[in-house]
Amino acid sequence: SQKIEQNSEALNIQEGKTATLTCNYTNYSPAYLQWYRQDPGRGPVFLLLIRENEKEKRKERLKVTFDTTLKQSLFHITASQPADSATYLCALGPNDYKLSFGAGTTVTVRA
Amino acid sequence: DSGVTQTPKHLITATGQRVTLRCSPRSGDLSVYWYQQSLDQGLQFLIQYYNGEERAKGNILERFSAQQFPDLHSELNLSSLELGDSALYFCASSENGWAQETQYFGPGTRLLVL
Protein backbone atom coordinates (compact mmCIF):
# COMPACT_ATOMS: atom_id res chain seq x y z
CA SER A 1 0.00 0.00 0.00
CA GLN A 2 1.06 3.60 -0.49
CA LYS A 3 2.95 5.12 2.38
CA ILE A 4 4.34 8.56 3.20
CA GLU A 5 6.74 8.86 6.13
CA GLN A 6 8.13 12.00 7.67
CA ASN A 7 10.66 12.34 10.52
CA SER A 8 8.95 10.52 13.34
CA GLU A 9 10.71 12.58 15.99
CA ALA A 10 10.17 16.26 16.57
CA LEU A 11 13.08 18.48 15.63
CA ASN A 12 14.56 20.88 18.20
CA ILE A 13 17.20 23.23 16.85
CA GLN A 14 19.05 26.36 17.85
CA GLU A 15 18.20 29.64 16.17
CA GLY A 16 20.42 30.29 13.17
CA LYS A 17 20.96 26.61 12.39
CA THR A 18 19.55 24.69 9.44
CA ALA A 19 16.60 22.36 9.99
CA THR A 20 16.39 19.40 7.63
CA LEU A 21 13.16 17.42 7.34
CA THR A 22 12.68 14.23 5.37
CA CYS A 23 9.70 12.88 3.49
CA ASN A 24 10.00 9.30 2.23
CA TYR A 25 7.38 7.49 0.21
CA THR A 26 6.75 3.96 -1.03
CA ASN A 27 4.48 2.52 -3.70
CA TYR A 28 4.00 5.95 -5.20
CA SER A 29 4.99 7.65 -8.40
CA PRO A 30 4.21 11.26 -7.56
CA ALA A 31 4.41 13.85 -10.26
CA TYR A 32 4.36 16.64 -7.68
CA LEU A 33 5.34 17.07 -4.10
CA GLN A 34 4.23 19.94 -1.93
CA TRP A 35 5.27 21.20 1.48
CA TYR A 36 2.87 22.91 3.86
CA ARG A 37 3.30 24.60 7.21
CA GLN A 38 0.72 24.15 9.97
CA ASP A 39 0.54 26.12 13.21
CA PRO A 40 -1.36 24.61 16.17
CA GLY A 41 -5.12 24.72 15.66
CA ARG A 42 -4.85 26.33 12.23
CA GLY A 43 -5.14 25.13 8.66
CA PRO A 44 -2.04 24.16 6.66
CA VAL A 45 -0.45 26.88 4.54
CA PHE A 46 1.24 26.10 1.23
CA LEU A 47 5.00 26.73 1.07
CA LEU A 48 6.57 25.10 -1.98
CA LEU A 49 5.81 22.73 -4.84
CA ILE A 50 8.42 20.69 -6.66
CA ARG A 51 7.83 18.61 -9.78
CA GLU A 52 9.32 15.19 -10.50
CA ASN A 53 11.65 16.61 -13.15
CA GLU A 54 13.01 19.26 -10.77
CA LYS A 55 15.87 18.43 -8.44
CA GLU A 56 15.70 21.49 -6.23
CA LYS A 57 13.48 24.46 -5.50
CA ARG A 58 14.17 27.49 -3.33
CA LYS A 59 12.05 30.19 -1.76
CA GLU A 60 13.75 32.67 0.53
CA ARG A 61 15.24 30.59 3.38
CA LEU A 62 13.50 27.40 2.27
CA LYS A 63 14.95 24.74 0.01
CA VAL A 64 13.33 21.53 -1.20
CA THR A 65 14.93 18.63 -3.03
CA PHE A 66 13.16 15.77 -4.75
CA ASP A 67 14.90 12.49 -5.55
CA THR A 68 12.56 10.12 -7.37
CA THR A 69 15.18 7.37 -7.35
CA LEU A 70 15.51 7.44 -3.57
CA LYS A 71 11.78 8.24 -3.28
CA GLN A 72 12.60 11.06 -0.94
CA SER A 73 12.22 14.78 -0.51
CA LEU A 74 14.30 16.90 1.83
CA PHE A 75 13.04 20.21 3.19
CA HIS A 76 15.58 22.66 4.57
CA ILE A 77 15.00 25.78 6.63
CA THR A 78 18.23 27.78 6.70
CA ALA A 79 19.10 30.45 9.27
CA SER A 80 16.14 29.23 11.30
CA GLN A 81 14.18 31.61 13.54
CA PRO A 82 11.80 30.98 16.45
CA ALA A 83 8.97 32.07 14.11
CA ASP A 84 9.71 28.97 11.99
CA SER A 85 8.46 26.76 14.84
CA ALA A 86 5.53 24.81 13.42
CA THR A 87 4.58 21.43 11.98
CA TYR A 88 5.63 20.85 8.39
CA LEU A 89 3.66 18.50 6.17
CA CYS A 90 4.70 16.95 2.90
CA ALA A 91 2.00 16.05 0.40
CA LEU A 92 2.20 13.97 -2.75
CA GLY A 93 0.07 14.32 -5.85
CA PRO A 94 0.27 11.20 -7.97
CA ASN A 95 -1.22 12.59 -11.15
CA ASP A 96 -4.83 12.36 -10.09
CA TYR A 97 -7.03 14.67 -8.13
CA LYS A 98 -5.95 13.48 -4.72
CA LEU A 99 -3.21 14.96 -2.55
CA SER A 100 -1.94 12.60 0.17
CA PHE A 101 -0.37 14.12 3.27
CA GLY A 102 2.31 12.81 5.57
CA ALA A 103 1.83 12.96 9.33
CA GLY A 104 4.12 15.98 9.63
CA THR A 105 7.26 16.88 11.55
CA THR A 106 7.14 19.38 14.40
CA VAL A 107 10.01 21.84 14.46
CA THR A 108 10.89 23.94 17.49
CA VAL A 109 13.53 26.64 17.07
CA ARG A 110 15.13 27.78 20.33
CA ALA A 111 16.24 31.38 20.68
CA ASP B 1 -6.10 34.81 5.69
CA SER B 2 -6.55 32.12 3.01
CA GLY B 3 -9.93 33.40 1.81
CA VAL B 4 -11.61 30.11 2.73
CA THR B 5 -14.23 30.39 5.44
CA GLN B 6 -15.62 27.65 7.63
CA THR B 7 -18.45 27.67 10.12
CA PRO B 8 -18.88 26.97 12.90
CA LYS B 9 -15.48 27.35 14.52
CA HIS B 10 -16.32 24.99 17.35
CA LEU B 11 -19.02 22.38 17.76
CA ILE B 12 -19.84 20.32 20.83
CA THR B 13 -22.44 17.61 20.48
CA ALA B 14 -23.43 14.21 21.80
CA THR B 15 -22.99 10.72 20.41
CA GLY B 16 -25.66 9.73 17.94
CA GLN B 17 -26.32 13.29 16.82
CA ARG B 18 -25.99 14.83 13.36
CA VAL B 19 -24.07 18.00 12.48
CA THR B 20 -23.41 20.04 9.37
CA LEU B 21 -20.15 21.83 8.69
CA ARG B 22 -20.07 24.60 6.13
CA CYS B 23 -17.33 25.87 3.86
CA SER B 24 -17.06 28.75 1.41
CA PRO B 25 -14.12 28.50 -1.00
CA ARG B 26 -11.86 31.32 -2.14
CA SER B 27 -13.35 33.54 -4.77
CA GLY B 28 -12.74 31.94 -8.18
CA ASP B 29 -11.92 28.46 -6.86
CA LEU B 30 -14.12 25.72 -8.27
CA SER B 31 -12.89 22.80 -6.22
CA VAL B 32 -13.46 22.06 -2.55
CA TYR B 33 -11.80 19.40 -0.42
CA TRP B 34 -12.67 18.09 3.03
CA TYR B 35 -10.08 16.72 5.45
CA GLN B 36 -10.24 15.27 8.93
CA GLN B 37 -7.35 15.75 11.32
CA SER B 38 -7.13 13.93 14.62
CA LEU B 39 -4.14 13.61 16.94
CA ASP B 40 -3.39 10.02 16.05
CA GLN B 41 -4.33 10.07 12.34
CA GLY B 42 -2.82 13.18 10.81
CA LEU B 43 -4.55 14.93 7.92
CA GLN B 44 -6.90 12.48 6.21
CA PHE B 45 -8.51 13.30 2.88
CA LEU B 46 -12.26 12.72 2.93
CA ILE B 47 -13.77 13.94 -0.32
CA GLN B 48 -13.36 16.44 -3.16
CA TYR B 49 -15.88 18.32 -5.27
CA TYR B 50 -15.38 20.22 -8.46
CA ASN B 51 -18.02 22.64 -9.70
CA GLY B 52 -20.80 20.77 -7.91
CA GLU B 53 -19.74 17.25 -8.84
CA GLU B 54 -17.92 14.72 -6.68
CA ARG B 55 -14.41 14.21 -8.11
CA ALA B 56 -12.49 12.06 -5.64
CA LYS B 57 -13.25 10.11 -2.54
CA GLY B 58 -10.91 9.23 0.29
CA ASN B 59 -11.45 7.58 3.63
CA ILE B 60 -14.93 8.94 4.14
CA LEU B 61 -17.26 6.91 6.34
CA GLU B 62 -20.74 6.00 5.12
CA ARG B 63 -22.14 8.05 8.01
CA PHE B 64 -20.56 11.12 6.43
CA SER B 65 -21.78 12.84 3.30
CA ALA B 66 -21.00 16.06 1.51
CA GLN B 67 -22.20 18.21 -1.33
CA GLN B 68 -21.20 21.30 -3.22
CA PHE B 69 -23.92 23.75 -4.13
CA PRO B 70 -24.33 25.89 -7.29
CA ASP B 71 -22.83 28.89 -5.49
CA LEU B 72 -19.80 26.60 -4.82
CA HIS B 73 -20.08 26.50 -1.07
CA SER B 74 -19.92 23.04 0.41
CA GLU B 75 -21.39 21.24 3.39
CA LEU B 76 -20.11 18.16 5.19
CA ASN B 77 -22.77 16.22 7.05
CA LEU B 78 -21.74 13.92 9.87
CA SER B 79 -24.40 11.64 11.32
CA SER B 80 -24.70 9.01 14.05
CA LEU B 81 -21.71 10.65 15.64
CA GLU B 82 -19.28 8.61 17.68
CA LEU B 83 -16.62 9.67 20.18
CA GLY B 84 -13.96 8.86 17.61
CA ASP B 85 -15.34 11.48 15.23
CA SER B 86 -13.96 14.20 17.48
CA ALA B 87 -11.38 15.98 15.35
CA LEU B 88 -10.52 19.11 13.42
CA TYR B 89 -12.30 19.23 10.07
CA PHE B 90 -10.68 21.33 7.40
CA CYS B 91 -12.02 22.54 4.13
CA ALA B 92 -9.62 23.56 1.37
CA SER B 93 -10.16 24.99 -2.07
CA SER B 94 -8.20 25.19 -5.29
CA GLU B 95 -8.81 26.71 -8.68
CA ASN B 96 -9.40 23.64 -10.84
CA GLY B 97 -8.98 20.71 -8.50
CA TRP B 98 -5.72 19.30 -9.86
CA ALA B 99 -3.31 17.70 -7.39
CA GLN B 100 -0.48 20.03 -8.40
CA GLU B 101 -2.46 23.12 -7.51
CA THR B 102 -2.00 24.91 -4.24
CA GLN B 103 -4.77 24.11 -1.82
CA TYR B 104 -5.91 26.94 0.41
CA PHE B 105 -7.13 25.73 3.77
CA GLY B 106 -9.78 27.25 5.96
CA PRO B 107 -9.38 27.76 9.72
CA GLY B 108 -11.16 24.48 10.48
CA THR B 109 -14.09 23.37 12.60
CA ARG B 110 -13.22 21.71 15.87
CA LEU B 111 -15.77 19.01 16.61
CA LEU B 112 -16.06 17.49 20.06
CA VAL B 113 -18.41 14.54 20.49
CA LEU B 114 -19.27 13.80 24.12
Coordinates of all heavy atoms in Angstrom, one line a residue, chain B residues 28-97:
Chain B
G28 N -13.3 32.4 -6.9 CA -12.7 31.9 -8.2 C -12.3 30.5 -8.1 O -12.1 29.9 -9.2
D29 N -12.3 29.9 -7.0 CA -11.9 28.5 -6.9 C -13.2 27.6 -7.1 O -14.2 27.8 -6.5 CB -11.3 28.1 -5.5 CG -9.9 28.6 -5.3 OD1 -9.4 29.2 -6.3 OD2 -9.3 28.5 -4.2
L30 N -13.0 26.6 -7.9 CA -14.1 25.7 -8.3 C -14.1 24.4 -7.5 O -15.1 23.7 -7.5 CB -14.1 25.4 -9.8 CG -14.2 26.6 -10.7 CD1 -14.1 26.1 -12.2 CD2 -15.6 27.3 -10.5
S31 N -13.0 24.1 -6.9 CA -12.9 22.8 -6.2 C -12.8 23.0 -4.7 O -12.1 23.9 -4.2 CB -11.7 22.1 -6.7 OG -11.7 20.7 -6.3
V32 N -13.5 22.1 -4.0 CA -13.5 22.1 -2.6 C -13.1 20.7 -2.1 O -13.5 19.7 -2.6 CB -14.9 22.4 -2.0 CG1 -15.0 22.1 -0.5 CG2 -15.2 23.9 -2.2
Y33 N -12.3 20.7 -1.0 CA -11.8 19.4 -0.4 C -12.2 19.4 1.0 O -12.2 20.5 1.7 CB -10.3 19.3 -0.5 CG -9.6 19.5 -1.8 CD1 -9.5 20.8 -2.3 CD2 -9.1 18.4 -2.5 CE1 -8.9 21.0 -3.6 CE2 -8.5 18.6 -3.8 CZ -8.4 19.9 -4.3 OH -7.8 20.1 -5.5
W34 N -12.5 18.2 1.6 CA -12.7 18.1 3.0 C -11.6 17.1 3.6 O -11.4 16.1 3.0 CB -14.1 17.6 3.3 CG -15.1 18.6 3.1 CD1 -16.0 18.7 2.1 CD2 -15.5 19.6 4.1 NE1 -16.8 19.8 2.3 CE2 -16.6 20.3 3.5 CE3 -15.1 19.9 5.4 CZ2 -17.2 21.4 4.1 CZ3 -15.8 21.0 6.0 CH2 -16.8 21.7 5.4
Y35 N -11.1 17.5 4.8 CA -10.1 16.7 5.5 C -10.5 16.6 6.9 O -11.1 17.5 7.5 CB -8.7 17.4 5.4 CG -8.0 17.4 4.1 CD1 -8.3 18.5 3.2 CD2 -7.2 16.4 3.6 CE1 -7.6 18.6 2.0 CE2 -6.6 16.5 2.4 CZ -6.8 17.5 1.6 OH -6.2 17.6 0.3
Q36 N -10.1 15.5 7.5 CA -10.2 15.3 8.9 C -8.9 15.2 9.5 O -8.0 14.5 9.0 CB -11.0 14.0 9.2 CG -11.2 13.6 10.7 CD -11.7 12.2 10.8 OE1 -11.1 11.3 10.4 NE2 -12.9 12.1 11.5
Q37 N -8.6 15.8 10.6 CA -7.3 15.8 11.3 C -7.6 15.4 12.8 O -8.1 16.2 13.5 CB -6.5 17.0 11.2 CG -5.1 16.9 11.7 CD -4.3 18.2 11.4 OE1 -4.8 19.3 11.6 NE2 -3.1 18.0 10.9
S38 N -7.1 14.3 13.2 CA -7.1 13.9 14.6 C -5.7 13.7 15.1 O -4.8 13.6 14.2 CB -8.0 12.7 14.9 OG -7.6 11.6 14.0
L39 N -5.5 13.7 16.4 CA -4.1 13.6 16.9 C -3.4 12.4 16.5 O -2.2 12.4 16.2 CB -4.2 13.6 18.5 CG -4.4 15.0 19.1 CD1 -4.6 14.9 20.6 CD2 -3.2 15.9 18.8
D40 N -4.1 11.3 16.4 CA -3.4 10.0 16.0 C -3.4 9.7 14.6 O -2.8 8.7 14.1 CB -4.0 8.9 16.9 CG -5.5 8.7 16.6 OD1 -6.1 9.6 16.1 OD2 -6.0 7.6 17.0
Q41 N -4.1 10.5 13.7 CA -4.3 10.1 12.3 C -3.7 11.1 11.4 O -3.6 10.7 10.2 CB -5.8 9.9 12.0 CG -6.5 8.7 12.6 CD -6.2 7.5 11.9 OE1 -5.8 7.5 10.7 NE2 -6.4 6.3 12.5
G42 N -3.3 12.2 11.8 CA -2.8 13.2 10.8 C -4.0 13.7 9.9 O -5.1 13.5 10.2
L43 N -3.6 14.3 8.8 CA -4.6 14.9 7.9 C -5.1 13.9 6.9 O -4.3 13.4 6.1 CB -3.9 16.1 7.2 CG -4.7 17.1 6.5 CD1 -5.6 17.9 7.6 CD2 -3.9 18.2 5.8
Q44 N -6.3 13.5 7.1 CA -6.9 12.5 6.2 C -7.9 13.1 5.2 O -8.8 13.8 5.6 CB -7.7 11.5 7.1 CG -6.8 10.7 8.1 CD -5.8 9.8 7.4 OE1 -6.2 9.0 6.6 NE2 -4.6 9.8 7.9
F45 N -7.6 12.8 3.9 CA -8.5 13.3 2.9 C -9.9 12.6 2.9 O -9.9 11.3 3.0 CB -7.8 13.1 1.5 CG -8.7 13.3 0.3 CD1 -9.1 14.6 0.0 CD2 -9.1 12.2 -0.4 CE1 -9.9 14.7 -1.1 CE2 -9.9 12.4 -1.5 CZ -10.3 13.7 -1.9
L46 N -10.9 13.3 2.9 CA -12.3 12.7 2.9 C -12.9 12.7 1.5 O -13.3 11.6 1.0 CB -13.2 13.5 3.9 CG -12.8 13.4 5.4 CD1 -13.7 14.3 6.2 CD2 -12.7 12.0 5.9
I47 N -13.1 13.9 0.9 CA -13.8 13.9 -0.3 C -13.5 15.3 -1.0 O -13.1 16.2 -0.4 CB -15.3 13.8 -0.1 CG1 -16.0 13.4 -1.4 CG2 -15.9 15.0 0.6 CD1 -17.4 12.9 -1.1
Q48 N -13.6 15.3 -2.4 CA -13.4 16.4 -3.2 C -14.5 16.7 -4.1 O -15.1 15.7 -4.7 CB -12.1 16.3 -4.0 CG -11.8 17.5 -4.9 CD -10.8 17.2 -6.0 OE1 -10.3 16.1 -6.1 NE2 -10.4 18.2 -6.7
Y49 N -14.9 17.9 -4.3 CA -15.9 18.3 -5.3 C -15.3 19.3 -6.2 O -14.4 20.1 -5.9 CB -17.1 19.0 -4.6 CG -18.0 17.9 -4.0 CD1 -17.7 17.4 -2.7 CD2 -19.1 17.4 -4.7 CE1 -18.5 16.4 -2.2 CE2 -19.9 16.4 -4.1 CZ -19.6 15.9 -2.9 OH -20.4 15.0 -2.3
Y50 N -15.8 19.2 -7.5 CA -15.4 20.2 -8.5 C -16.6 20.7 -9.2 O -17.4 19.9 -9.8 CB -14.4 19.6 -9.5 CG -14.1 20.5 -10.6 CD1 -13.3 21.6 -10.5 CD2 -14.7 20.3 -11.9 CE1 -13.0 22.5 -11.6 CE2 -14.5 21.2 -12.9 CZ -13.6 22.3 -12.8 OH -13.4 23.1 -13.8
N51 N -16.9 22.0 -9.0 CA -18.0 22.6 -9.7 C -19.3 21.9 -9.5 O -20.1 21.7 -10.4 CB -17.7 22.8 -11.2 CG -18.5 23.9 -11.8 OD1 -18.9 24.8 -11.2 ND2 -18.6 23.9 -13.1
G52 N -19.5 21.4 -8.3 CA -20.8 20.8 -7.9 C -20.8 19.3 -8.0 O -21.7 18.6 -7.6
E53 N -19.8 18.7 -8.7 CA -19.7 17.2 -8.8 C -18.7 16.6 -8.0 O -17.6 17.2 -7.8 CB -19.4 16.9 -10.3 CG -20.4 17.5 -11.3 CD -21.8 16.7 -11.2 OE1 -21.7 15.5 -11.0 OE2 -22.8 17.4 -11.4
E54 N -18.9 15.4 -7.4 CA -17.9 14.7 -6.7 C -16.8 14.3 -7.6 O -17.1 13.7 -8.7 CB -18.5 13.5 -6.0 CG -17.6 12.7 -5.2 CD -18.2 11.4 -4.6 OE1 -19.3 11.5 -4.0 OE2 -17.6 10.3 -4.9
R55 N -15.5 14.5 -7.2 CA -14.4 14.2 -8.1 C -13.6 13.1 -7.5 O -13.1 12.3 -8.3 CB -13.6 15.4 -8.4 CG -12.3 15.1 -9.2 CD -11.6 16.4 -9.6 NE -12.1 16.9 -10.9 CZ -11.5 17.9 -11.5 NH1 -10.5 18.5 -11.0 NH2 -12.0 18.3 -12.7
A56 N -13.3 13.1 -6.2 CA -12.5 12.1 -5.6 C -13.0 11.8 -4.2 O -13.5 12.7 -3.5 CB -11.0 12.5 -5.6
K57 N -12.8 10.5 -3.9 CA -13.3 10.1 -2.5 C -12.1 9.5 -1.8 O -11.3 8.7 -2.4 CB -14.4 9.1 -2.7 CG -15.5 9.2 -1.7 CD -16.7 8.4 -2.2 CE -17.8 8.6 -1.2 NZ -19.1 8.0 -1.7
G58 N -12.0 9.8 -0.5 CA -10.9 9.2 0.3 C -11.5 8.3 1.3 O -12.4 7.6 1.1
N59 N -11.0 8.5 2.5 CA -11.4 7.6 3.6 C -12.7 8.1 4.3 O -12.7 8.3 5.5 CB -10.3 7.4 4.7 CG -9.1 6.9 4.0 OD1 -9.1 6.0 3.2 ND2 -7.9 7.4 4.4
I60 N -13.7 8.4 3.6 CA -14.9 8.9 4.1 C -15.9 7.8 4.6 O -16.2 6.9 3.8 CB -15.6 9.9 3.2 CG1 -16.8 10.7 3.9 CG2 -16.0 9.3 1.9 CD1 -17.2 11.9 3.1
L61 N -16.3 7.9 5.8 CA -17.3 6.9 6.3 C -18.6 7.1 5.7 O -19.0 8.1 5.2 CB -17.4 7.1 7.9 CG -16.1 6.9 8.7 CD1 -16.4 7.3 10.1 CD2 -15.6 5.5 8.6
E62 N -19.4 6.0 5.7 CA -20.7 6.0 5.1 C -21.7 6.9 5.9 O -22.6 7.5 5.4 CB -21.3 4.6 5.1 CG -20.8 3.8 3.9 CD -21.6 2.5 3.7 OE1 -22.7 2.4 4.2 OE2 -21.0 1.6 3.0
R63 N -21.3 7.1 7.2 CA -22.1 8.1 8.0 C -21.9 9.5 7.6 O -22.6 10.4 8.1 CB -21.8 7.9 9.5 CG -22.0 6.5 10.0 CD -21.7 6.4 11.5 NE -20.2 6.4 11.8 CZ -19.6 7.5 12.4 NH1 -20.2 8.6 12.7 NH2 -18.3 7.4 12.6
F64 N -20.9 9.8 6.8 CA -20.6 11.1 6.4 C -21.0 11.3 5.0 O -20.9 10.4 4.1 CB -19.1 11.4 6.5 CG -18.5 11.3 7.9 CD1 -19.3 11.0 9.0 CD2 -17.1 11.5 8.1 CE1 -18.7 10.9 10.3 CE2 -16.6 11.5 9.4 CZ -17.4 11.2 10.5
S65 N -21.5 12.5 4.7 CA -21.8 12.8 3.3 C -21.5 14.3 3.1 O -21.4 15.1 4.0 CB -23.3 12.6 3.0 OG -24.1 13.4 3.8
A66 N -21.3 14.7 1.8 CA -21.0 16.1 1.5 C -21.7 16.4 0.2 O -22.1 15.6 -0.6 CB -19.5 16.3 1.4
Q67 N -21.7 17.7 0.0 CA -22.2 18.2 -1.3 C -21.6 19.6 -1.6 O -21.3 20.3 -0.6 CB -23.7 18.2 -1.4 CG -24.5 18.9 -0.3 CD -26.0 18.8 -0.5 OE1 -26.5 18.8 -1.6 NE2 -26.7 18.7 0.6
Q68 N -21.6 20.0 -2.8 CA -21.2 21.3 -3.2 C -22.4 21.9 -4.0 O -22.9 21.3 -4.9 CB -19.9 21.3 -4.1 CG -19.4 22.7 -4.4 CD -18.2 22.7 -5.2 OE1 -17.9 21.8 -6.0 NE2 -17.4 23.7 -5.1
F69 N -22.7 23.1 -3.6 CA -23.9 23.7 -4.1 C -23.6 24.6 -5.3 O -22.4 24.9 -5.6 CB -24.6 24.6 -3.0 CG -25.1 23.7 -1.9 CD1 -24.3 23.4 -0.8 CD2 -26.4 23.3 -1.9 CE1 -24.8 22.6 0.2 CE2 -26.9 22.5 -0.9 CZ -26.1 22.2 0.2
P70 N -24.6 25.0 -6.1 CA -24.3 25.9 -7.3 C -23.5 27.1 -7.0 O -22.8 27.6 -7.9 CB -25.7 26.2 -7.8 CG -26.6 25.1 -7.4 CD -26.0 24.6 -6.0
D71 N -23.6 27.7 -5.8 CA -22.8 28.9 -5.5 C -21.4 28.5 -5.0 O -20.6 29.3 -4.6 CB -23.5 29.8 -4.4 CG -23.6 29.1 -3.1 OD1 -23.2 27.9 -3.0 OD2 -24.0 29.7 -2.1
L72 N -21.1 27.2 -5.1 CA -19.8 26.6 -4.8 C -19.5 26.4 -3.4 O -18.5 25.8 -3.0 CB -18.7 27.4 -5.5 CG -18.8 27.5 -7.0 CD1 -17.6 28.3 -7.6 CD2 -18.8 26.1 -7.7
H73 N -20.4 26.8 -2.5 CA -20.1 26.5 -1.1 C -20.4 25.0 -0.9 O -21.1 24.4 -1.7 CB -20.9 27.4 -0.1 CG -22.2 26.9 0.3 ND1 -23.4 27.1 -0.4 CD2 -22.6 26.1 1.4 CE1 -24.4 26.5 0.2 NE2 -23.9 25.9 1.3
S74 N -19.8 24.5 0.2 CA -19.9 23.0 0.4 C -20.3 22.8 1.9 O -20.1 23.6 2.7 CB -18.6 22.3 0.1 OG -18.7 21.0 0.4
E75 N -21.0 21.7 2.0 CA -21.4 21.2 3.4 C -21.0 19.8 3.6 O -21.1 19.0 2.7 CB -22.9 21.4 3.6 CG -23.3 22.8 3.6 CD -24.8 23.0 3.8 OE1 -25.5 22.0 3.9 OE2 -25.3 24.1 3.9
L76 N -20.5 19.5 4.8 CA -20.1 18.2 5.2 C -21.1 17.8 6.3 O -21.1 18.4 7.3 CB -18.7 18.1 5.7 CG -18.1 16.8 6.2 CD1 -18.0 15.8 5.0 CD2 -16.8 16.9 6.8
N77 N -21.8 16.7 6.1 CA -22.8 16.2 7.1 C -22.2 15.0 7.7 O -21.8 14.0 7.1 CB -24.1 15.9 6.4 CG -24.7 17.0 5.6 OD1 -25.1 18.0 6.3 ND2 -24.8 17.0 4.3
L78 N -22.2 15.0 9.1 CA -21.7 13.9 9.9 C -22.9 13.4 10.7 O -23.5 14.2 11.5 CB -20.6 14.4 10.8 CG -19.5 15.3 10.2 CD1 -18.5 15.7 11.2 CD2 -18.8 14.5 9.0
S79 N -23.2 12.2 10.6 CA -24.4 11.6 11.3 C -24.0 10.5 12.2 O -22.9 9.9 12.1 CB -25.5 11.2 10.3 OG -25.0 10.2 9.5
S80 N -24.9 10.1 13.1 CA -24.7 9.0 14.0 C -23.3 9.1 14.7 O -22.5 8.2 14.7 CB -24.8 7.6 13.4 OG -26.1 7.5 12.8
L81 N -23.1 10.3 15.2 CA -21.7 10.7 15.6 C -21.2 9.7 16.8 O -22.0 9.3 17.6 CB -21.7 12.1 16.1 CG -21.6 13.1 15.0 CD1 -21.9 14.5 15.5 CD2 -20.3 13.1 14.2
E82 N -19.9 9.4 16.7 CA -19.3 8.6 17.7 C -18.2 9.4 18.3 O -17.7 10.4 17.8 CB -18.7 7.3 17.0 CG -19.7 6.5 16.3 CD -19.1 5.3 15.5 OE1 -17.9 5.2 15.6 OE2 -19.9 4.6 14.9
L83 N -17.7 9.0 19.5 CA -16.6 9.7 20.2 C -15.4 9.9 19.3 O -14.7 10.9 19.3 CB -16.2 8.9 21.4 CG -17.3 8.8 22.5 CD1 -16.7 7.9 23.7 CD2 -17.7 10.1 23.0
G84 N -15.1 8.8 18.5 CA -14.0 8.9 17.6 C -14.0 9.9 16.5 O -13.1 10.1 15.8
D85 N -15.2 10.5 16.3 CA -15.3 11.5 15.2 C -14.8 12.8 15.7 O -14.7 13.8 14.9 CB -16.8 11.6 14.8 CG -17.3 10.3 14.2 OD1 -16.6 9.6 13.5 OD2 -18.5 10.0 14.4
S86 N -14.5 12.9 17.0 CA -14.0 14.2 17.5 C -12.6 14.5 16.8 O -11.7 13.7 16.8 CB -13.7 14.1 19.0 OG -14.9 13.9 19.7
A87 N -12.6 15.6 16.2 CA -11.4 16.0 15.3 C -11.5 17.4 14.8 O -12.5 18.1 15.1 CB -11.3 15.0 14.1
L88 N -10.5 17.9 14.2 CA -10.5 19.1 13.4 C -10.9 18.8 12.0 O -10.3 17.9 11.4 CB -9.1 19.8 13.4 CG -8.8 20.9 14.4 CD1 -7.4 21.3 14.3 CD2 -9.7 22.1 14.1
Y89 N -11.9 19.5 11.5 CA -12.3 19.2 10.1 C -11.9 20.5 9.3 O -12.4 21.6 9.6 CB -13.8 18.9 10.0 CG -14.1 17.6 10.6 CD1 -14.3 17.4 12.0 CD2 -14.2 16.5 9.8 CE1 -14.6 16.2 12.5 CE2 -14.5 15.2 10.3 CZ -14.7 15.1 11.7 OH -14.9 13.9 12.2
F90 N -11.1 20.2 8.2 CA -10.7 21.3 7.4 C -11.3 21.2 6.0 O -11.5 20.2 5.5 CB -9.2 21.3 7.2 CG -8.4 21.7 8.4 CD1 -7.7 20.8 9.2 CD2 -8.3 23.0 8.8 CE1 -7.0 21.1 10.3 CE2 -7.6 23.4 9.9 CZ -6.9 22.5 10.7
C91 N -11.6 22.4 5.5 CA -12.0 22.5 4.1 C -10.9 23.3 3.4 O -10.2 24.1 4.0 CB -13.3 23.4 4.1 SG -13.7 24.0 2.4
A92 N -10.6 22.9 2.2 CA -9.6 23.6 1.4 C -10.2 23.8 0.0 O -11.2 23.1 -0.4 CB -8.3 22.7 1.3
S93 N -9.7 24.8 -0.7 CA -10.2 25.0 -2.1 C -9.0 25.2 -3.0 O -7.9 25.6 -2.6 CB -11.1 26.2 -2.1 OG -10.5 27.4 -2.0
S94 N -9.2 24.9 -4.3 CA -8.2 25.2 -5.3 C -8.9 25.6 -6.6 O -10.1 25.3 -6.7 CB -7.3 24.0 -5.5 OG -7.9 23.0 -6.2
E95 N -8.2 26.1 -7.5 CA -8.8 26.7 -8.7 C -9.5 25.7 -9.5 O -10.7 25.8 -9.8 CB -7.7 27.4 -9.5 CG -8.3 28.3 -10.6 CD -7.2 29.1 -11.3 OE1 -6.0 29.0 -10.9 OE2 -7.5 29.8 -12.3
N96 N -8.8 24.6 -9.9 CA -9.4 23.6 -10.8 C -9.4 22.2 -10.3 O -9.8 21.3 -11.0 CB -8.7 23.7 -12.2 CG -8.9 25.0 -12.9 OD1 -10.0 25.4 -13.2 ND2 -7.8 25.7 -13.2
G97 N -8.9 22.0 -9.1 CA -9.0 20.7 -8.5 C -7.9 19.7 -8.9 O -8.0 18.5 -8.7

